[in-house]
């Protein structure tokens, strides 16, 4: 189900790209760049049908559809940003706070009463940010995970994503899809010393601290709430996307309780289901590789990585990280 970068599972006939570790297009035989399992999966007797692979064009078209279906996103009047200093490449690592004011001037918190936002926010305090400390998951936290998944699956955006993946023979039913979302995003694995201390959701949306640095933490709602509490300090930005409505993309530098994030990236003003859905799509279609998308006519890429040291469900991979790439 999840395509490792060095496998042809679900990739037969996929266009050749120089950045890929190996290829699954018939042309790879002439070039000598086929993945090891190319013949087994994509040869004449192979079972990994090329029509079930996800093409670059399909990713561009589907991402535009998901962008258009983000009905819960912020309106331009809901958020006022104050980006202040734009950091040069040689400034991002020096930990200098060049922006005296907070990043968020205003956020219309009525957004947070929408069901997907409210159920998302409840998840954010379920984690210990330090890696190496085992997460204890309570029955209440498990029910909060279920509630979030239930709410996002009510949205047109996630229904579109499921319909697409079902059409690609990735899932037979919505129930199977939801169960897999729960495992890939919330399933625990160890980033530390064998303790089950991390999950894709914690890393990407809530943020972690590892070896004295902020790790993950790519969500605008989490950033806003912690900045409001005074525990996140915005330093500067190194990228501001071309979008003049939300969602937009910001590459930024900040500290969290004194721990530094040299280059973070985040969608700004999107709904939780938009980020969750887009990252899921890219993890399933292009894990470990750049996933090229289009939003409102502007191109962008999402990078995801599978966690390689543990699996679930017969060899499926957990999400290690997912983030939007700022050039």
């Amino acid at each position: 189900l999840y395509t490792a970068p060095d496998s042809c599972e679900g990739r037969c006939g996929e266009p050749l790209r120089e950045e890929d570790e190996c290829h699954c297009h018939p042309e790879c035989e002439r070039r000598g760049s086929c993945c090891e399992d190319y013949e087994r999966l994509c040869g004449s007797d192979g079972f990994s049908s090329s029509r079930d692979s996800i093409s670059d064009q399909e990713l561009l078209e589907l991402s535009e559809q998901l962008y258009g279906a983000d009905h819960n996103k912020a309106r331009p009047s809901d958020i006022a940003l104050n980006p202040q200093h734009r950091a040069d490449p040689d400034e991002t690592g020096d930990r200098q706070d060049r922006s005296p004011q907070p990043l968020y001037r205003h956020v219309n918190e009525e957004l947070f009463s929408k069901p997907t936002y409210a159920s998302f926010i409840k998840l954010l305090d379920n984690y210990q940010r330090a890696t190496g400390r085992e997460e204890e998951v309570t029955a209440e936290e498990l029910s909060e995970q279920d509630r979030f998944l239930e709410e996002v699956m009510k949205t047109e955006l996630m229904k579109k994503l499921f319909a697409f993946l079902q059409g690609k023979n990735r899932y037979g039913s919505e129930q199977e899809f939801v169960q897999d979302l729960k495992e890939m995003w919330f399933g625990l694995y160890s980033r530390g010393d064998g303790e089950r201390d991390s999950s894709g959701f914690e890393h990407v949306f809530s943020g972690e601290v590892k070896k004295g640095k902020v790790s993950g933490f790519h969500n605008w709602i989490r950033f806003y709430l912690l900045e409001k509490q005074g525990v996140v300090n915005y330093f500067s930005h190194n990228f501001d996307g071309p979008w003049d409505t939300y969602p937009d993309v910001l590459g930024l530098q900040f500290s969290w309780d004194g721990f530094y994030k040299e280059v973070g990236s985040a969608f700004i003003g999107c709904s939780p289901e938009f980020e969750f859905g887009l990252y899921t799509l890219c993890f399933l279609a292009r894990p470990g590789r750049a996933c090229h998308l289009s939003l409102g006519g502007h191109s962008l890429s999402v990078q995801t990585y599978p966690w390689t040291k543990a699996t679930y469900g017969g060899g499926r991979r957990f999400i290690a990280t997912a983030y939007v790439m700022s050039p």
Side-chain angles (χ1 to χ4, degrees):
L1 176 63
Y2 303 147
T3 314
D6 58 355
S7 170
C8 283
E9 185 78 48
R11 290 177 58 199
C12 296
E14 188 180 275
L16 293 167
R17 275 184 300 266
E18 292 304 325
E19 68 261 29
D20 289 349
E21 285 185 29
C22 59
H23 301 112
C24 305
H25 187 277
E27 181 72 6
C28 72
E29 295 187 273
R30 187 180 65 78
R31 295 172 52 147
S33 64
C34 299
C35 299
E36 281 188 15
D37 56 11
Y38 171 77
E39 190 57 41
R40 178 171 65 84
L41 295 178
C42 309
S44 53
D45 300 326
F47 60 84
S48 181
S49 167
S50 60
R51 71 174 175 273
D52 293 339
S53 69
I54 298 172
S55 71
D56 289 353
Q57 186 60 34
E58 285 172 321
L59 286 173
L60 295 174
E61 290 170 3
L62 180 61
S63 54
E64 284 288 3
Q65 291 174 24
L66 299 182
Y67 178 76
D70 189 11
H71 305 308
N72 286 326
K73 67 185 177 188
R75 297 167 309 216
S77 59
D78 286 331
I79 298 174
L81 286 182
N82 186 15
Q84 301 164 81
H85 183 78
R86 180 159 190 160
D88 294 327
D90 60 348
E91 292 178 330
T92 59
D94 62 13
R95 306 184 180 218
Q96 295 296 309
D97 183 359
R98 294 181 166 87
S99 301
Q101 303 299 317
L103 173 60
Y104 289 93
R105 271 206 187 102
H106 163 74
V107 171
N108 175 11
E109 294 193 8
E110 286 181 16
L111 280 171
F112 300 160
S113 63
K114 296 184 179 207
T116 57
Y117 285 80
S119 57
F120 173 81
I121 289 168
K122 277 192 182 302
L123 294 168
L124 295 175
D125 64 358
N126 289 353
Y127 301 100
Q128 301 185 58
R129 69 183 179 189
T131 57
R133 294 177 60 188
E134 183 157 9
E135 296 290 346
E136 294 178 20
V137 184
T138 65
E140 182 182 7
E141 289 170 357
L142 286 172
S143 100
E144 287 173 355
Q145 294 172 10
D146 290 337
R147 179 67 190 277
F148 171 70
L149 292 169
E150 184 184 313
E151 292 299 344
V152 297
M153 287 308 300
K154 291 177 185 174
T155 65
E156 181 190 342
L157 189 154
M158 288 297 285
K159 287 188 183 301
K160 275 186 186 294
L161 175 59
F162 167 66
F164 174 80
L165 294 170
Q166 187 180 38
K168 291 291 181 181
N169 292 314
R170 302 299 175 101
Y171 298 100
S173 68
E174 189 172 306
Q175 182 182 3
E176 184 190 343
F177 179 46
V178 170
Q179 185 56 39
D180 200 37
L181 287 172
K182 187 167 184 178
E183 291 284 1
M184 77 169 90
W185 278 106
F186 295 103
L188 293 173
Y189 50 82
S190 172
R191 284 184 200 264
D193 306 316
E195 305 286 354
R196 298 197 329 145
D197 60 351
S198 187
S199 68
F201 186 92
E202 177 185 7
H203 181 84
V204 173
F205 294 105
S206 185
E208 299 180 292
V209 171
K210 184 174 184 181
K211 296 180 179 174
K213 292 182 178 178
V214 176
S215 180
F217 197 145
H218 298 288
N219 179 254
W220 76 270
I221 300 166
R222 173 73 160 161
F223 190 101
Y224 165 74
L225 293 171
L226 291 183
E227 185 178 63
K228 186 180 169 188
Q229 290 173 28
V231 294
V232 157
N233 180 17
Y234 169 72
F235 280 22
S236 55
H237 70 286
N238 62 301
F239 173 77
D240 191 356
W243 296 270
D244 53 13
T245 58
Y246 298 114
D248 200 350
V249 175
L250 202 65
L252 65 166
Q253 292 69 50
F254 62 92
S255 77
W256 178 18
D257 265 349
F259 299 103
Y260 189 58
K261 182 76 173 179
E262 184 173 327
V263 180
S265 61
F267 286 107
I268 308 290
C270 66
S271 68
E273 61 267 27
F274 175 82
E275 243 180 322
F276 191 71
L278 218 59
Y279 289 158
T280 298
L281 169 64
C282 285
F283 182 66
L284 294 174
R286 301 286 187 270
R289 294 174 288 154
C291 177
H292 302 298
L293 309 174
S294 177
L295 304 181
H298 297 289
S299 60
L300 84 164
S301 300
V302 163
Q303 179 73 48
T304 66
Y305 287 103
W307 187 252
T308 58
K309 298 175 186 172
T311 60
Y312 69 90
R316 297 182 182 186
R317 300 284 187 189
F318 300 103
I319 290 176
T321 192
Y323 54 89
V324 58
M325 289 198 279
S326 52

